[in-house]
Every structure is written in structure tokens, then in C-alpha cells.
Amino acid sequence: MQTITLKVEGMSCGHCVNSVEGAVKQIGASGKVDLTAGSVTVQFDESKVSLDAIKEAIEEQGYDVAN
């Protein structure tokens, strides 16, 4: 398992938290959003889910993942 924290721009409320965490979960990873920090910490099995897939899932919800 790998753990990474991504900076995510545009999150401001509980709906944002649910959207991001749900998108990450849907592709087989687990995520915990920190609204104050504007980030999400994701745990994933790199043999099953790629970092690019995680970023794409978050961006499809309308948020920007900073590099």
C-alpha cells in the first residue's frame, strides 16, 4: 500500500469532501479530505490503481489537483 497527500483546489464544504472521497473510493482507493489544508490523503495499492487514475477521478468531480 502506498500513501500520498495531494493538494486539491476548489474544495469548500461537506459536499466537496463526499465528492472527492467517493470518487477515490469508486476506483479502489481510500481517501481522507482535510478541508482546512485543501488536501486529500489517499491510500492505494499501486498494482491496482495508478496515481494518474486517482488524480483523474478527483478532477472529474470538478476539482483541480495541484502538482
Side-chain angles (χ1 to χ4, degrees):
M1 286 294 255
Q2 185 173 341
T3 302
I4 189 163
T5 300
L6 301 170
K7 191 83 171 155
V8 180
E9 298 172 352
M11 298 185 302
S12 62
C13 64
H15 173 69
C16 300
V17 171
N18 292 336
S19 293
V20 171
E21 289 179 357
V24 169
K25 184 176 182 178
Q26 192 172 18
I27 62 167
S30 67
K32 180 70 177 156
V33 170
D34 181 343
L35 271 182
T36 305
S39 65
V40 59
T41 301
V42 182
Q43 285 190 323
F44 63 102
D45 182 342
E46 55 269 88
S47 68
K48 296 179 182 176
V49 181
S50 71
L51 179 56
D52 286 340
I54 293 168
K55 290 179 180 180
E56 185 176 314
I58 294 169
E59 289 174 345
E60 284 177 357
Q61 296 302 310
Y63 306 99
D64 294 319
V65 178
N67 290 330

